[in-house]
């Protein structure tokens, strides 16, 4: 029997509106090009949070599950993926974690997502 590789782009979490990504080690951030400044800010916040606790994305083994951060450009695209109207949602894609952000978000939401991702990486042993 053929093994099928799961691709997030074929999952319910992926939106055709996503046309840009930031990929760094096990972190994958998907967003639309008009969200680029927000995505970069969130990416740098996550890096700072990890660094403050002695972690770096490049030191996290690629054998660990990935974390997919999906920045949905509208409430409808978020609802299509997570089937709720919350500001944030989490899900699983195989062994990987998915964090979804619903449309526009506040500074508080951005910091909350950063902390959730930091916690999801947990204790990491340097390579």
């Amino acid at each position: 029997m053929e093994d099928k590789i799961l691709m997030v782009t074929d999952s319910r979490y992926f939106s055709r509106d996503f046309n840009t990504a930031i990929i760094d080690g096990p972190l994958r951030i998907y967003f639309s090009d008009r969200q680029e400044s927000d995505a970069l800010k969130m990416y740098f916040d996550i890096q700072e949070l990890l660094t403050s606790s002695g972690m770096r994305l490049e030191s996290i083994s690629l054998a660990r599950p990935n974390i997919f951060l999906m920045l949905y450009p509208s409430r409808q695209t978020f609802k299509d993926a997570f089937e709720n109207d919350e500001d944030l949602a989490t899900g699983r894609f195989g062994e990987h974690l998915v964090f979804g952000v619903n449309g526009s978000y506040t500074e508080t939401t951005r910091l909350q997502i950063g902390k959730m991702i930091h916690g999801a990486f947990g204790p990491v042993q340097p390579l």
Side-chain angles (χ1 to χ4, degrees):
M1 179 176 241
E2 228 179 274
D3 287 333
K4 180 166 169 60
I5 297 174
L6 296 175
M7 302 292 291
V8 75
T9 54
D10 296 327
S11 76
R12 71 183 179 117
Y13 298 112
F14 194 81
S15 168
R16 67 174 185 249
D17 292 332
F18 295 149
N19 56 11
T20 311
I22 298 170
I23 299 174
D24 190 353
L27 177 65
R28 280 89 166 98
I29 304 172
Y30 289 91
F31 53 97
S32 73
D33 56 0
R34 68 179 183 266
Q35 296 172 291
E36 184 174 12
S37 64
D38 289 334
L40 286 169
K41 187 168 184 162
M42 189 169 290
Y43 170 68
F44 290 122
D45 283 349
I46 292 165
Q47 284 187 317
E48 285 179 16
L49 277 168
L50 292 174
T51 300
S52 71
S53 60
M55 292 187 270
R56 292 188 332 239
L57 284 168
E58 64 268 11
S59 70
I60 299 171
S61 170
L62 293 177
R64 290 178 66 113
N66 290 322
I67 293 180
F68 295 98
L69 175 57
M70 313 304 243
L71 306 181
Y72 294 93
S74 70
R75 292 202 171 274
Q76 187 58 50
T77 55
F78 177 87
K79 191 172 185 175
D80 291 344
F82 288 97
E83 300 173 351
N84 72 49
D85 289 319
E86 303 295 322
D87 290 334
L88 300 171
T90 60
R92 285 236 174 247
F93 175 66
E95 65 180 7
H96 309 289
L97 290 171
V98 179
F99 294 98
V101 178
N102 189 349
S104 298
Y105 51 90
T106 64
E107 185 75 9
T108 302
T109 303
R110 190 174 56 78
L111 292 173
Q112 185 179 6
I113 274 287
K115 289 177 183 176
M116 290 169 67
I117 288 174
H118 177 266
F121 281 126
V124 176
Q125 300 299 319
L127 296 174

